[in-house]
Amino acid sequence: EYSRQSGKTVLHMDIGGGTSNLALIRDGKIEKTGCLNVGGRLVKFREDGAVSYVSPVLRTLCPWTPGDQVPEGAARELAGRLAQVLEMAAGLKEADFRLSHFLTKEVASAWQVPTPGAVISFSGGVADCIESKLSGDAYKDLGPYLGQAIKKSALCQGNYRLGQETIRATVIGAGCHSAVLSGSTVFCKNVELPKKNLPVIMFSFREQESEHFSQYIADRLERCDSPEAVLAMEGYESPDYSRVAALAEKIAA
């Protein structure tokens, strides 16, 4: 709406925990999008300040491993390097290998740096840290450091705006950095992973107890455009093993 009213080009950055989603907007229309593996939770810290998690995407930038005690200056330095990647994406800094390294593989070929001079707007959890005076350990992650680094960077030296509603969860960030599956949770045999863009068939636990449930699933599968689908059961009930086994038999049928 702002770009439509002002006639300016807007580069929007939604910076969350795991990714920064980019959108170049001209005359109120999204011209192109991109995504960087830059976010506030690429590094997490324990209560005692030691590292508890380091994203694999940072292997070329920092040598930290879980259990390491990291000086605050080092955390700020890393956040500054990540802010530089965002500067490169905005066309405010000459791009080097880091820009291509942090571009997500799915959209890497779709992003080109915009013309310098675009108004830059921010949303996402890290956007809340840009103007704040939060201490570095406020969220036990890199978020406050990254927000403060962005504030000092070229991204905020020109015309920039913070969204009125800054925090939104993104599917890419949540999927890459919040979903954790153990070997006891999922077993796959002769299945190539990951599976992407599958339709979802929802059903309730009450529906699965119906004698017509198998036919219900079969009918829904026939109407899917994909030869495969995800079955998702609504509700929060935790059934015992015998009920899970019965459900599996109906689905297999």
Side-chain angles (χ1 to χ4, degrees):
E1 186 64 27
Y2 173 77
S3 71
R4 186 182 295 114
Q5 292 176 356
S6 66
K8 293 183 178 179
T9 299
V10 175
L11 172 61
H12 184 72
M13 295 187 169
D14 182 79
I15 308 171
T19 55
S20 295
N21 297 285
L22 314 176
L24 185 63
I25 308 166
R26 297 186 198 273
D27 299 322
K29 296 181 180 179
I30 296 178
E31 196 169 274
K32 57 186 176 183
T33 60
C35 185
L36 297 167
N37 289 308
V38 173
R41 294 187 68 78
L42 297 183
V43 179
K44 302 177 189 177
F45 301 100
R46 300 190 313 226
E47 289 295 329
D48 63 0
V51 173
S52 64
Y53 168 80
V54 179
S55 170
V57 76
L58 292 178
R59 286 174 183 157
T60 60
L61 279 187
C62 73
W64 307 339
T65 58
D68 288 348
Q69 288 285 346
V70 177
E72 183 171 308
R76 292 191 183 280
E77 181 182 354
L78 175 60
R81 293 181 182 179
L82 293 176
Q84 289 175 2
V85 175
L86 297 177
E87 289 177 313
M88 295 175 196
L92 301 175
K93 183 179 178 64
E94 185 176 352
D96 59 27
F97 74 95
R98 287 175 293 176
L99 181 59
S100 59
H101 173 77
F102 280 94
L103 279 170
T104 57
K105 294 180 180 178
E106 289 78 8
V107 296
S109 60
W111 183 255
Q112 297 173 348
V113 295
T115 302
V119 175
I120 300 177
S121 63
F122 298 97
S123 65
V126 173
D128 274 353
C129 302
I130 292 176
E131 298 283 2
S132 71
K133 304 295 183 182
L134 291 169
S135 63
D137 63 351
Y139 300 122
K140 306 302 178 189
D141 60 24
L142 208 60
Y145 297 113
L146 181 55
Q148 292 159 19
I150 290 171
K151 175 65 175 177
K152 295 178 181 178
S153 73
L155 296 165
C156 293
Q157 300 309 305
N159 194 354
Y160 75 96
R161 299 167 61 90
L162 295 180
Q164 292 181 342
E165 301 292 340
T166 52
I167 300 180
R168 291 289 182 269
T170 63
V171 174
I172 295 177
C176 292
H177 298 276
S178 298
V180 178
L181 302 177
S182 68
S184 61
T185 307
V186 174
F187 172 76
C188 297
K189 184 177 181 180
N190 300 327
V191 176
E192 185 176 352
L193 297 176
K195 296 288 186 182
K196 296 184 179 182
N197 302 321
L198 297 179
V200 178
I201 297 175
M202 301 293 299
F203 63 91
S204 67
F205 200 87
R206 180 174 297 178
E207 284 175 320
Q208 71 87 25
E209 293 182 323
S210 165
E211 61 179 326
H212 305 295
F213 177 72
S214 294
Q215 187 59 48
Y216 167 80
I217 293 296
D219 292 342
R220 292 294 301 276
L221 287 171
E222 279 190 9
R223 294 202 296 269
C224 286
D225 294 332
S226 169
E228 297 177 308
V230 174
L231 303 183
M233 184 171 66
E234 298 175 327
Y236 301 96
E237 183 176 354
S238 181
D240 59 27
Y241 176 78
S242 62
R243 298 175 78 184
V244 172
L247 172 60
E249 289 181 1
K250 293 177 182 179
I251 293 174

